[in-house]
Amino acid sequence: MAKREFEQRGVHIRRGWRQLTTAGRVRVAEGRLTLLNSRGSEIDSAPLSEVRVLAPWYVPRGCVRAVLGRTAYLLRLGPARARDVADAAHRARG
């Protein structure tokens, strides 16, 4: 199994107004950011060079906006972990 730089479970994942999962996972490993649903199926994945993870002023506290390629997702990780996914993506990118 590959070394994981970051993994968070129980993540609410939205794309636009659509709720994709309330118990998803976010994983940063092997130079990729992967979004998984509650059953472990992949929602989306992209190399870190094509990923932007931001915490803009207009998203609620504890959420980040992740853009994978051209698709934007809203990830609700909780206040303590929201910044960790951005930091992990930045560290793994180099």
Side-chain angles (χ1 to χ4, degrees), residues 33-72:
L33 188 135
T34 306
L35 302 176
L36 303 162
N37 67 13
S38 57
R39 295 184 206 126
S41 298
E42 186 176 299
I43 295 171
D44 200 354
S45 177
L48 290 172
S49 60
E50 298 176 14
V51 172
R52 290 189 324 259
V53 180
L54 313 162
W57 64 269
Y58 55 85
V59 300
R61 186 170 178 229
C63 295
V64 292
R65 183 173 185 259
V67 181
L68 282 69
R70 297 178 133 183
T71 308

